[in-house]
Amino acid sequence: MSSAPYTLDRIQPLLEEERRPLPSRIRAYSWLILQLRSATPLPFTCWLGVGVLQGLMVPFQLWASSHLVNAVQTRMDGQDANPWWWALAMASALAGGRLLAPMKNWSEAAIYERGLPAVEGRLLARATEVDLALLEYQAFYEVTRRIAEQADQSLKGVLKAFNELIGNSIPLLGAVLIIAHIDWLLVLALFLPLLPLLAEALRQGGFVWEALHQQTRDRRIAHYIASRFSDRQSAKEIRLFGLADELIGRWETHFMATRKEMRGKVTRASLRLQLGGTFSDIFSYGVLIWVITSGFVETNAADITVLMGAFMTIGNLSFNLQQAILDIGKYSGFASDVRMFLALPAVFATDKVTSLSERLLTPIVLEHVNFTYPGTTTKVIDDLSLTIPPGQTLAIVGENGAGKTTLLKLILGLYRPDSGRILLGDRDIQDIPVAERQALMAAVFQTFSRYPESMIENITMPRNRDDVELNRVIQEADLGHMVEDAPEGLKTILSPDLGGIDLSGGQWQRIAIARAGYRNATILALDEPTAALDPLAEVDIFKRFAQISSDRTTILISHRLGMTRLADRIVVLEHGKITEDGSHNELMRNTAHYAELWEMQSRWYR
Ligand code: ADP
């Protein structure tokens, strides 16, 4: 378990496969349709059934109309026939079609409301369950972004294309059967030119997808720049530095890059298909007229009515069918992304059990740990060994880029070492079930999340509210005044975009600390507080944190030394190696480097 399960050479084929032969994409498309069906079985079956029935109405009407013409003709010839029955049959078919429409609307709405969100929810969940190191691979990251950004629209596209496929292919097949009833040769005349056209539509759909695929980066940059214009933080800088023209210019460049290529692909696809369609129509009608006029196939007036109707219907349907197949070609690329994504191992899937005995304080032991970020060559953690006794407050200090945050992420089990082991007690951290790990550890990262939710949600999520615990962390994180001043107390929404309030960097930091404290974990870590804080405010944040984590194992990280006096022990990290290790007093006495750094920085704290 402790070696990386998804190295680049193992993930690459998955990414390649998604770049993929057409048959595998089509299989992925069918698989995705089945996923939608299993998310909402009843509405889906109903929706499909109605689609098929509606499709059958078209050939039924053609068939009934031929009998109607026949009956009218017979009647006009003075013989006995009753056209009324056929007229009634046609009217009933029309009425049936109308009555089915509300059922179709209901089932479609149910799939949109429940089926699509169910699949989207699984995608979101998987995005948080996959190995964090995978996100370091650019190609994988692109897939994740594409899925996250396009899931909603693409899933609708998948469903719509399927709807069009059913809605056009069923009546088309029905019409073909009716023609076959008159003569099989006519079917060949119709189908032979249609088949390559449909295959071409599928291929062109694939090209459109590939164009979208290649544009992920440009589209993302364009989207990012556009979003700056409505972002409160950027609004100040854009105005102050007069950045608007420059940003609009850059947005245009990236936006146009995506549009230009897409326009080319879509125009080419459309031109090829329309030209092909025109040839196919000319050929089919030519054969039809020849067959009728030459007497090659024997036809009467009713046959001719049916044939004309069928050919016209097929002309329209095949046009729509081409578009549906083009869309299937396009969305099958998305489907194979999704299939690949959901097939990845859920390394961070949460299992429910958390036994209390496991929450006892245990030592953390790192044995010869090495780590290099995927896709890079520099060792960020280099043969590092360290034992953190239970309950210790450890400060990890070192220059920016020394590897402190990386070391923390390894200790928390977010990354796996390339070699070496990290043990909690006597167990490798990677072998501990995720739910248990989540219960054992909490951390405040430099870039912690700011949820646009109430203050209370920001602290307690995802646990249940426990007022005693909540009051404790509010006090320890010194949030009391903030809660009192907030218009709706703990219920105040922390997002000015949603009509709530905005907090300063330091206030947010305290919320994040309260969130970590509320989890009641036995290992707590605080990564360098936001750089916007001055050294004294930073020390205050560390103090709050030390208070909240007083009876647990605590790891504090900073490139400043101000907080080291709060720690039982300090390790100095340089280029991924520990160069100094001891208490503040020991290091001051014994190591020139630490003492020198302390002297240099200590004037900040006086
Ligand atoms: P510190 O926390 O001490 O400032 P970090 O652990 O953040 O250092 O980074 C250590 C080194 O690893 C730096 O050289 C940094 O550029 C590199 N690094 C950090 N994150 C990544 C990443 N996701 N991909 C590649 N390199 C990274």
Side-chain angles (χ1 to χ4, degrees):
M1 270 291 273
S2 49
S3 63
Y6 267 77
T7 50
L8 188 57
D9 52 330
R10 291 191 59 194
I11 187 75
Q12 204 65 41
L14 283 174
L15 294 171
E16 288 298 327
E17 193 218 12
E18 149 285 335
R19 204 161 305 238
R20 64 279 209 141
L22 195 58
S24 102
R25 271 191 278 165
I26 301 299
R27 275 199 302 279
Y29 180 87
S30 326
W31 169 86
L32 189 53
I33 291 287
L34 289 179
Q35 300 302 304
L36 288 171
R37 192 199 61 175
S38 48
T40 38
L42 182 67
F44 193 92
T45 312
C46 187
W47 177 74
L48 191 60
V50 172
V52 171
L53 278 179
Q54 282 182 330
L56 288 174
M57 294 292 172
V58 178
F60 176 78
Q61 281 179 347
L62 276 174
W63 176 72
S65 71
S66 88
H67 283 277
L68 179 65
V69 172
N70 245 340
V72 169
Q73 182 88 46
T74 315
R75 190 75 173 260
M76 282 164 70
D77 291 346
Q79 295 169 26
D80 191 24
N82 190 354
W84 293 108
W85 283 117
W86 294 108
L88 188 66
M90 285 183 67
S92 311
L94 276 174
R98 291 217 171 87
L99 288 179
L100 286 174
M103 208 160 159
K104 176 124 183 184
N105 291 344
W106 165 79
S107 50
E108 199 164 80
I111 299 173
Y112 273 71
E113 269 170 35
R114 289 186 273 129
L116 302 194
V119 174
E120 245 181 286
R122 272 173 63 196
L123 288 171
L124 287 178
R126 184 52 47 97
T128 61
E129 291 166 355
V130 296
D131 200 338
L132 204 56
L134 279 181
L135 292 177
E136 304 296 339
Y137 299 127
Q138 188 59 23
F140 180 78
Y141 182 68
E142 300 275 337
V143 172
T144 314
R145 289 301 298 229
R146 218 165 37 234
I147 288 183
E149 284 163 10
Q150 296 166 14
D152 189 44
Q153 209 193 347
S154 298
L155 280 171
K156 283 180 188 151
V158 164
L159 202 64
K160 188 162 166 278
F162 188 63
N163 186 30
E164 292 294 312
L165 177 75
I166 299 294
N168 290 293
S169 59
I170 301 271
L172 192 132
L173 286 176
V176 163
L177 282 181
I178 284 176
I179 297 174
H181 193 64
I182 297 170
D183 199 300
W184 269 106
L185 272 180
L186 288 169
V187 173
L188 286 185
L190 258 179
F191 254 99
L192 282 183
L194 193 59
L195 288 180
L197 215 56
L198 295 182
E200 179 61 13
L202 200 56
R203 213 168 67 96
Q204 293 294 334
F207 291 153
V208 172
W209 169 257
E210 266 153 34
L212 276 172
H213 190 282
Q214 282 151 13
Q215 291 163 0
T216 308
R217 193 163 175 279
D218 270 321
R219 216 160 342 105
R220 181 147 25 93
I221 298 175
H223 178 76
Y224 177 77
I225 297 176
S227 68
R228 295 306 87 196
F229 285 87
S230 57
D231 174 68
R232 283 172 208 264
Q233 305 296 332
S234 314
K236 292 191 281 270
E237 272 193 28
I238 292 177
R239 283 163 179 72
L240 194 61
F241 297 146
L243 291 177
D245 285 347
E246 175 65 25
L247 286 179
I248 290 174
R250 289 183 187 208
W251 170 78
E252 251 175 23
T253 311
H254 291 287
F255 186 73
M256 293 315 251
T258 65
R259 286 299 142 125
K260 209 167 144 197
E261 199 185 337
M262 202 44 134
R263 197 180 55 217
K265 296 263 181 207
V266 171
T267 312
R268 262 195 302 283
S270 164
L271 203 65
R272 285 174 82 102
L273 293 177
Q274 295 322 324
L275 277 178
T278 308
F279 281 122
S280 145
D281 288 344
I282 292 173
F283 179 79
S284 304
Y285 275 97
V287 171
L288 175 68
I289 300 301
W290 175 75
V291 160
I292 295 171
T293 53
S294 68
F296 188 77
V297 172
E298 231 174 81
T299 47
N300 57 26
D303 289 342
I304 293 173
T305 314
V306 173
L307 280 176
M308 285 298 187
F311 266 60
M312 266 161 57
T313 308
I314 289 172
N316 289 335
L317 291 173
S318 61
F319 179 78
N320 295 342
L321 191 62
Q322 263 175 39
Q323 190 54 45
I325 288 193
L326 187 130
D327 283 344
I328 288 178
K330 178 171 143 193
Y331 290 114
S332 61
F334 165 76
S336 60
D337 267 358
V338 168
R339 193 175 197 186
M340 183 274 291
F341 199 67
L342 289 180
L344 290 170
V347 179
F348 284 93
T350 351
D351 17 35
K352 295 276 173 269
V353 231
T354 312
S355 75
L356 276 179
S357 63
E358 302 299 347
R359 306 185 63 178
L360 293 174
L361 282 175
T362 44
I364 305 169
V365 182
L366 286 86
E367 290 175 353
H368 302 287
V369 171
N370 285 289
F371 183 78
T372 304
Y373 277 100
T376 65
T377 49
T378 314
K379 257 191 197 179
V380 176
I381 298 298
D382 190 358
D383 194 30
L384 188 145
S385 296
L386 172 72
T387 299
I388 311 172
Q392 185 168 72
T393 299
L394 174 76
I396 303 176
V397 295
E399 309 266 313
N400 278 327
K404 303 181 294 293
T405 304
T406 309
L407 180 60
L408 178 61
K409 287 195 248 179
L410 284 161
I411 292 176
L412 296 173
L414 295 173
Y415 287 120
R416 291 152 201 270
D418 299 330
S419 62
R421 296 198 301 168
I422 300 178
L423 307 169
L424 268 193
D426 52 3
R427 290 189 299 169
D428 192 309
I429 194 160
Q430 296 297 337
D431 295 338
I432 299 179
V434 175
E436 204 178 313
R437 253 194 275 163
Q438 287 173 343
L440 283 170
M441 305 171 172
V444 181
F445 290 107
Q446 245 169 348
T447 46
F448 53 84
S449 296
R450 301 165 184 218
Y451 302 102
E453 301 282 349
S454 66
M455 209 182 290
I456 193 165
E457 286 280 312
N458 263 284
I459 297 172
T460 59
M461 202 162 57
R463 314 187 110 207
N464 292 333
R465 181 170 168 169
D466 170 342
D467 283 337
V468 177
E469 194 66 359
L470 186 62
N471 284 333
R472 179 183 68 80
V473 291
I474 285 176
Q475 281 214 331
E476 288 178 353
D478 192 25
L479 286 171
H481 290 301
M482 216 167 83
V483 177
E484 274 168 30
D485 292 347
E488 290 177 64
L490 275 169
K491 291 200 182 118
T492 310
I493 301 288
L494 301 186
S495 161
D497 295 352
L498 301 179
I501 58 168
D502 200 4
L503 300 181
S504 70
Q507 286 173 323
W508 265 117
Q509 193 94 40
R510 278 184 278 161
I511 294 274
I513 286 179
R515 176 158 66 228
Y518 186 79
R519 300 186 64 84
N520 212 4
T522 54
I523 300 167
L524 271 173
L526 173 60
D527 195 359
E528 197 143 34
T530 155
L533 292 183
D534 63 55
L536 285 178
E538 182 179 298
V539 173
D540 181 55
I541 290 287
F542 275 117
K543 271 190 192 147
R544 296 276 151 221
F545 195 74
Q547 201 162 4
I548 232 167
S549 60
S550 53
D551 50 351
R552 330 186 196 183
T553 307
T554 310
I555 302 170
L556 307 172
I557 289 184
S558 180
H559 71 282
R560 294 169 176 159
L561 301 183
M563 54 60 176
T564 51
R565 275 215 270 217
L566 302 168
D568 304 325
R569 175 183 174 197
I570 299 137
V571 294
V572 180
L573 205 61
E574 264 179 56
H575 304 297
K577 283 178 178 296
I578 293 175
T579 51
E580 285 156 42
D581 183 349
S583 69
H584 175 72
N585 289 339
E586 282 166 1
L587 292 185
M588 284 297 275
R589 262 199 316 274
N590 303 334
T591 63
H593 181 56
Y594 179 85
E596 190 185 327
L597 272 179
W598 175 262
E599 275 314 312
M600 252 170 57
Q601 292 190 5
S602 60
R603 62 195 143 85
W604 292 340
Y605 311 106
R606 284 187 192 127

